Amino acid sequence: MESKLTFGVHYGECFGLLGVNGAGKSTTFRMLTGDEIVSDGNAYTMMKTLKDNHKEFLSKIGYCPQFDGIVGVLTGREMLELFSRLRGIPRRRVKAEANKWLTKLGLMENADVQCEKYSGGMKRRLSAAMAMVGDPPILMLDEPTTGVDPVARRELWRSIASSKQAGQAIILTSHSMEECEALCTRLGIMVNGEMQCIGGIEHLKSKFAQGFCLTIKLKFLRATDDERLKALNEQITSVFNPCVLKDKHQNILQYQIYNTELAWDVLFKTMEDMKSNFVDFIEEYSVSQTTLEEVFLSFARLQYPERRADVSALNRILTCQCCSRR
C-alpha cells in the first residue's frame, strides 16, 4: 500500500510526530537518516536534498534512534568525544564539548564508565547527548525519554527546550502526552504511515475532541448484565445527548459528551443521581475536559479496525435495544 507523508519543520520549532507502535514513525526517521532507501519522494533542508545531496543533507542531522547505537566497550566520555570529532568540532574543543553534554544530561559521575555497564535510562540520555553534540541544525529524537527516570527526564526536557530556543529544528516522537505538551510547538498524528492531522495542540483539541470525557467503572460486568448495561447506556445517551460510547475495555466505559454548554455542577449532579439509581452496578466515574491523550486515542483506534468494530457493534446493539423499548 502506498503511503504519503508531507510535513515541514521550522527553525526553532519542536514538531511532535505521534502514532501507535507500527504507525511508521521510526521508519520515517530511518528513511530521513539514510538507514532505509526512499522509494519515492524527497526531503529538503538548507537547500540540500536527501536524494541529490545525500552527504550534505545527513551532515545537518543529529539522530537519537529508538534503539541505542552505543559501542559498549567505550566510556560515555569517549562516545561523546568520538561524535564530536565526527561532527567536525576542532580537536582543541572536543573535551569541552563532551563535558558540556555530560553535565547537561547528568552523566558526569559515570563519564568514565564503560557504556555496556550503563542502565537503560543512562543509555537513552547518552544517545540523546550523542545526537545533540555539536548543535546540528536538525535534531531527530525517537522516543528519547523511554526508560528515563522522572528527574533525568526533566533535565533532558530542559536540554531539548534549550536547543529549540537556540534555533534548532527538532522532530520528536514520544508516547508521553505530557512530554509533547511541554516541548512541542505543533503535532502530527500518524496512522498506517499517513498523517491524519497536523497543527498546534490547542487547535487539535478544539477541532477533534470537543466536549467532555465521561469514564465509568462498573463493579462487575457479567454476560447476564446485558440488560442493565443497555439501561445504563440509554439513560446516559438520553440525558447527555449528543453523547456516544467511544470505548469499552473490560468493565470500563468511556463516553464522549459533545454538548459543550453543560455546566460542571449539572454534570456531576446528574452523574450522582445516576450512580444512586445504579448503586450496585457503578463503582466510580470521572468527568474531564478533553485532553491531548483523548485526541491521540481517537486517531489511534484507526490503527486497529477490529477494536473500532467492537465498539461500533456494541453501539449498534445498545441503540437497537433503546429503539425497541420506545
Side-chain angles (χ1 to χ4, degrees):
M1 181 180 67
E2 181 181 0
S3 298
K4 295 183 179 179
L5 186 66
T6 301
F7 66 92
V9 184
H10 306 290
Y11 292 111
E13 178 183 36
C14 181
F15 180 82
L17 191 59
L18 305 185
V20 299
N21 293 333
K25 308 182 300 298
S26 297
T27 301
T28 300
F29 274 9
R30 287 198 297 270
M31 288 190 291
L32 290 174
T33 55
D35 282 350
E36 290 193 11
I37 298 175
V38 179
S39 57
D40 191 22
N42 210 341
Y44 306 84
T45 180
M46 302 177 70
M47 306 302 292
K48 304 296 181 182
T49 67
L50 177 59
K51 284 190 173 181
D52 300 327
N53 313 100
H54 189 75
K55 289 185 178 180
E56 292 87 347
F57 181 92
L58 297 181
S59 69
K60 309 296 182 184
I61 294 175
Y63 176 43
C64 173
Q66 186 177 13
F67 303 102
D68 304 310
I70 294 173
V71 181
V73 296
L74 298 181
T75 66
R77 188 190 306 277
E78 289 169 341
M79 284 299 304
L80 289 179
E81 289 179 356
L82 172 62
F83 270 74
S84 297
R85 295 291 300 274
L86 292 174
R87 186 62 65 186
I89 294 175
R91 184 186 294 270
R92 66 180 184 278
R93 291 177 46 207
V94 165
K95 290 187 180 298
E97 182 71 13
N99 288 336
K100 180 179 78 171
W101 292 105
L102 287 168
T103 302
K104 274 192 171 186
L105 295 182
L107 293 170
M108 185 58 78
E109 290 185 6
N110 299 281
D112 298 312
V113 177
Q114 286 183 318
C115 297
E116 63 186 6
K117 298 178 182 178
Y118 279 12
S119 66
M122 291 169 64
K123 288 180 179 178
R124 293 307 293 156
R125 282 184 277 158
L126 179 60
S127 292
M130 288 157 53
M132 295 176 176
V133 71
D135 300 314
I138 301 172
L139 280 177
M140 295 184 183
L141 308 176
D142 197 356
E143 300 183 19
T145 60
T146 300
V148 177
D149 66 80
V151 176
R153 185 184 300 123
R154 296 285 175 172
E155 292 294 331
L156 183 51
W157 286 5
R158 277 193 281 271
S159 297
I160 295 173
S162 176
S163 297
K164 182 174 69 172
Q165 292 172 0
Q168 291 171 270
I170 303 170
I171 307 175
L172 172 75
T173 71
S174 176
H175 288 149
S176 167
M177 299 302 108
E178 181 188 9
E179 183 168 288
C180 293
E181 292 196 82
L183 296 174
C184 296
T185 312
R186 289 187 303 142
L187 295 175
I189 300 178
M190 291 179 65
V191 175
N192 293 322
E194 296 184 353
M195 194 75 77
Q196 298 296 312
C197 66
I198 189 169
I201 293 174
E202 293 305 320
H203 169 70
L204 296 183
K205 283 183 181 180
S206 62
K207 183 172 183 179
F208 294 105
Q210 297 177 348
F212 304 90
C213 176
L214 169 63
T215 303
I216 298 176
K217 182 180 180 182
L218 305 177
K219 292 183 178 179
F220 43 79
L221 188 58
R222 301 181 295 251
T224 56
D225 293 321
D226 286 351
E227 291 298 321
R228 303 188 71 189
L229 179 61
K230 292 169 185 175
L232 175 62
N233 181 77
E234 180 181 6
Q235 189 168 343
I236 291 173
T237 52
S238 61
V239 170
F240 295 123
N241 186 49
C243 174
V244 64
L245 177 65
K246 296 289 287 185
D247 197 12
K248 174 182 174 293
H249 180 69
Q250 294 183 353
N251 63 331
I252 304 294
L253 304 177
Q254 189 175 84
Y255 290 86
Q256 184 69 35
I257 302 173
Y258 292 101
N259 186 353
T260 57
E261 297 180 358
L262 281 172
W264 284 103
D265 60 334
V266 174
L267 275 168
F268 282 102
K269 184 179 185 305
T270 304
M271 284 307 303
E272 283 298 315
D273 293 341
M274 196 175 302
K275 186 177 180 182
S276 63
N277 293 336
F278 294 88
V279 65
D280 59 340
F281 194 48
I282 297 178
E283 180 175 340
E284 60 184 38
Y285 68 89
S286 65
V287 183
S288 62
Q289 287 182 314
T290 303
T291 63
L292 178 61
E293 184 173 357
E294 292 301 321
V295 176
F296 173 74
L297 288 174
S298 66
F299 284 99
R301 293 185 186 102
L302 300 175
Q303 185 86 16
Y304 304 104
E306 68 281 358
R307 178 68 177 152
R308 191 170 70 254
D310 290 344
V311 175
S312 299
L314 180 60
N315 268 316
R316 285 196 298 272
I317 293 171
L318 296 175
T319 302
C320 291
Q321 178 68 19
C322 293
C323 293
S324 64
R325 290 185 176 182
R326 295 191 184 94

